[in-house]
Amino acid sequence: MKSENELHRIAIFGVGILIVTATFLHGQDNAVTVLGGQGMHTVLETEIGSLTSHPGDKFAMRLLEPVVVDSREVLPKGTVFQGKVLTVLAADPKTHTAAEVGTAFEKVVLPDGRSFPVNASSEQQRHSEFDSRLSVAVALGARWEDFRWKKGRTGWLRLRFDLEVPAAFVSGKPASTNPATR
């Protein structure tokens, strides 16, 4: 049978381990913020168009390069932004109405299948842009004529809201190279 003194030392040691573990884990539970405006090189996984899209249609964009924050890879290459079409407006040259496809991202899916929701309202997401180098589209679609972007079109996605990436989804590995952020 263990002496009372030995049991006391074991209990103190166990409490010490719990404190050290809690302190270590506390520093890892903070979300990482991808600031709005940071460019992300993406490719369309689904077609989007002012004459072909309808409210409720799903769409997706995949990262072609990892997203880096403070020299850490936060979202790896292959991460998919999934969303839905909210509104569609065809261009009307008579009234100078721009074609528009209003969208909102709903979730982010990592290459390993884990996902987390996008916690920004459609109003906060409203001014996000997809720059395909041939044109800039506000809210993923404003232009003076109708348009159709086929699956596979690449460009730079600029979110106009801060994206909170839960700590559990951040690999934390240092980025091998810092991809260009336009």
Side-chain angles (χ1 to χ4, degrees):
M1 181 162 202
K2 296 194 187 249
S3 72
E4 187 177 313
N5 205 12
E6 287 177 288
L7 291 174
H8 187 234
R9 271 189 262 140
I10 290 171
I12 290 174
F13 179 74
V15 168
I17 289 175
L18 288 174
I19 290 171
V20 168
T21 302
T23 302
F24 175 74
L25 291 177
H26 176 72
Q28 294 185 344
D29 65 357
N30 297 325
V32 176
T33 302
V34 178
L35 295 176
Q38 178 173 343
M40 294 181 256
H41 195 198
T42 60
V43 61
L44 284 171
E45 293 287 310
T46 51
E47 181 177 296
I48 296 176
S50 58
L51 296 176
T52 57
S53 297
H54 301 89
D57 287 354
K58 300 293 184 182
F59 76 97
M61 302 177 95
R62 183 175 37 87
L63 287 177
L64 295 174
E65 298 172 358
V67 173
V68 175
V69 174
D70 295 331
S71 301
R72 288 188 321 169
E73 186 177 294
V74 176
L75 296 173
K77 175 182 175 178
T79 296
V80 175
F81 286 79
Q82 294 179 345
K84 68 179 177 181
V85 173
L86 300 175
T87 59
V88 179
L89 181 63
D92 186 350
K94 293 177 187 173
T95 62
H96 301 287
T97 303
E100 184 176 306
V101 176
T103 60
F105 291 108
E106 297 177 310
K107 70 178 176 176
V108 177
V109 182
L110 296 155
D112 65 9
R114 295 179 301 150
S115 66
F116 61 91
V118 173
N119 290 324
S121 70
S122 56
E123 185 59 34
Q124 290 171 311
Q125 296 187 43
R126 185 173 166 184
H127 297 291
S128 294
E129 300 172 347
F130 180 66
D131 177 357
S132 65
R133 296 203 184 257
L134 299 175
S135 63
V136 174
V138 177
L140 298 181
R143 290 181 37 144
W144 288 109
E145 70 267 354
D146 290 311
F147 67 95
R148 178 179 167 196
W149 290 339
K150 294 183 180 179
K151 176 181 175 178
R153 187 168 194 157
T154 62
W156 289 88
L157 172 63
R158 286 185 192 276
L159 302 177
R160 295 298 181 196
F161 59 93
D162 294 345
L163 177 66
E164 295 293 324
V165 180
F169 294 90
V170 178
S171 72
K173 74 177 184 180
S176 57
T177 59
N178 194 356
T181 53
R182 295 177 358 120

